[in-house]
Amino acid sequence: MTANDASTGQQPTATYDSAFLKACRREPVPHTPVWFMRQAGRSLPEYRKVREGIPMLESCMRPELVTEITLQPVRRHNVDAAIYFSDIVVPLKAIGLDLDIKPGIGPVVEQPIRTRADLARLRDLTPEDVPYVTEAIGLLTRELGSTPLIGFAGAPFTLASYLVEGGPSRTYENAKAMMYGDPELWADLLDRLADITAAFLKVQIEAGASAVQLFDSWVGALAPADYVQSVMPASAKVFEAVAGYGVPRIHFGVGTGELLKLMGEAGADVVGVDWRIPLDEAVRRVGPGKALQGNLDPTVLFTDKNTVEAKAQEVLDAAAGLEGHVFNLGHGVMPNTDPDALTRLVEYVHTHSAR
Ligand code: CP3
């Protein structure tokens, strides 16, 4: 069976028993599983080769290309999970928003969402809007064998930050001004985005994804009280919508030290942690009943082998008392990273966590 049963989330046994899914479920593992956010992408020469001349968003809509790019880091690094190659703005493009991913910049939205009238442009997403996702995940689950595939989506706040600003921002001044100044419009916007995100994750799970990660990359810009009031209900709606599948739900953001507990309470099974807080402190903040994912500083990979190993060992040591640990970087692989350093890191984590 390649696809998940919609009611039970049933997986092929070898996938269900993988170290990655066991760690997410807080079960004993033979070794600490490891994968990297942005493991597919510009750090790999084979990625740069197959992407030549093909715009980012177009490449996300070609199932054979998506399959090849998703598999590249699995072949090269021996990571414990694949992450579906796509982008957080793909579902927004699929419902007809005029946006693009500009090289070296990121997502840019032609007409930002600023008024109540603009909300009408955010219609529901159906599986028919993203046939290439279902097709690519079908191809991938056959190729991956027992290696789990992680599906993902952008969380309502992070998506809203691009839609309201019109592109990447350091301050989120327009988005936060809407949040503070017109809380009803903001709540309706985030609720619309929660429905779109939930529908997009469901497509991926029903096609065969074994876990999902909700990227709220920029939510660290908020104070906890604002998170509770203005963001958490929408993120919780997303997690609740996919709870019935029984696949692990990972929740990640950057600079979220003060939000970790709340991000778990939003409905995550696994809480992603960036490099600013060691995992033994993160687990105190999150509390029991959740696995943690993280959290080597991605810039450590620009140092020598001994330093990388010493820093990786610090992460493993800090994780020693966790109920479940998935090794990852504290944010995505940076484009100039030496891919061999990543391969060596996977081997180090596997060897030095073997039980
Ligand atoms: O390997 C993987 O992790 C899967 C691929 C993936 C991409 N985007 C591909 C991509 C994932 C998980 C994402 C998620 C994503 N996209 C996030 C959340 C993760 C995070 O980093 O916090 C965000 C904020 C985006 C929005 C976005 N898309 C940005 C900021 C950029 C970078 C702009 C740039 O060029 O530096 C993109 C473009 C993008 N998405 C690239 C890739 C591989 C680079 C474009 C390219 O290779 O041509």
Side-chain angles (χ1 to χ4, degrees):
M1 178 162 113
T2 53
N4 291 316
D5 182 294
S7 59
T8 63
Q10 200 180 332
Q11 313 267 329
T13 310
T15 310
Y16 187 84
D17 288 340
S18 63
F20 168 72
L21 291 175
K22 282 187 163 169
C24 291
R25 296 193 301 264
R26 293 172 285 120
E27 294 170 8
V29 286
H31 61 263
T32 300
V34 46
W35 69 280
F36 304 118
M37 293 182 276
R38 293 279 172 100
Q39 63 190 15
R42 284 170 292 183
S43 66
L44 300 183
E46 58 269 36
Y47 169 82
R48 298 196 295 269
K49 183 147 186 276
V50 296
R51 274 287 319 281
E52 235 166 70
I54 309 174
M56 176 63 194
L57 280 176
E58 195 190 319
S59 65
C60 296
M61 294 169 191
R62 295 195 190 180
E64 282 85 13
L65 187 57
V66 167
T67 303
E68 167 59 21
I69 293 174
T70 303
L71 292 172
Q72 284 176 347
V74 179
R75 289 189 201 114
R76 191 191 256 265
H77 300 313
N78 193 27
V79 281
D80 292 88
I83 179 158
Y84 181 68
F85 182 78
S86 183
D87 192 83
I88 59 168
V89 296
V90 163
L92 303 176
K93 182 77 177 176
I95 60 165
L97 286 191
D98 188 6
L99 60 82
D100 198 7
I101 295 180
K102 300 246 159 86
I105 299 172
V108 176
V109 185
E110 206 51 55
Q111 291 174 284
I113 304 268
R114 299 266 170 90
T115 67
R116 184 152 293 278
D118 293 333
L119 282 193
R121 283 153 53 207
L122 292 173
R123 68 162 174 84
D124 283 334
L125 179 123
T126 69
E128 291 72 43
D129 293 316
V130 286
Y132 43 86
V133 174
T134 304
E135 192 184 335
I137 292 184
L139 294 170
L140 271 167
T141 46
R142 279 192 285 279
E143 294 279 331
L144 279 165
S146 63
T147 304
L149 176 70
I150 304 168
F152 75 91
F157 175 83
T158 290
L159 293 177
S161 78
Y162 288 108
L163 290 180
V164 180
E165 299 297 334
S169 168
R170 280 177 191 280
T171 55
Y172 314 104
E173 58 208 55
N174 296 290
K176 288 173 74 174
M178 186 194 288
M179 182 181 88
Y180 291 125
D182 193 345
E184 273 180 31
L185 175 60
W186 173 259
D188 290 347
L189 169 60
L190 262 67
D191 191 64
R192 289 270 62 233
L193 292 171
D195 289 343
I196 293 162
T197 296
F200 190 58
L201 290 178
K202 283 182 185 178
V203 170
Q204 296 175 66
I205 297 168
E206 290 190 12
S210 299
V212 287
Q213 177 155 325
L214 192 64
F215 281 95
D216 212 349
S217 301
W218 313 138
V219 78
L222 297 184
D226 292 325
Y227 180 79
V228 169
Q229 192 181 335
S230 306
V231 173
M232 200 170 160
S235 297
K237 189 180 193 188
V238 175
F239 284 123
E240 179 57 32
V242 297
Y245 292 102
V247 303
R249 298 159 298 170
I250 311 169
H251 199 184
F252 169 78
V254 181
T256 49
E258 304 303 326
L259 302 177
L260 289 175
K261 184 169 182 56
L262 298 167
M263 290 176 74
E265 285 169 4
D269 305 296
V270 184
V271 177
V273 183
D274 81 359
W275 62 89
R276 290 173 179 84
I277 295 178
L279 291 175
D280 49 355
E281 171 58 19
V283 73
R284 279 192 286 277
R285 296 186 182 199
V286 171
K290 311 277 177 193
L292 297 187
Q293 175 173 284
N295 69 343
L296 186 71
D297 186 334
T299 60
V300 166
L301 289 157
F302 293 90
T303 67
D304 59 287
K305 181 170 176 283
N306 288 345
T307 309
V308 174
E309 293 187 356
K311 288 291 188 185
Q313 189 59 49
E314 280 178 23
V315 172
L316 290 174
D317 290 345
L322 266 49
E323 294 177 59
H325 176 217
V326 175
F327 193 102
N328 205 314
L329 304 179
H331 197 187
V333 172
M334 300 166 85
N336 292 327
T337 306
D338 172 8
D340 292 339
L342 289 166
T343 309
R344 287 194 299 267
L345 175 57
V346 173
E347 210 201 323
Y348 183 87
V349 172
H350 284 166
T351 313
H352 290 79
S353 65
R355 292 173 254 266

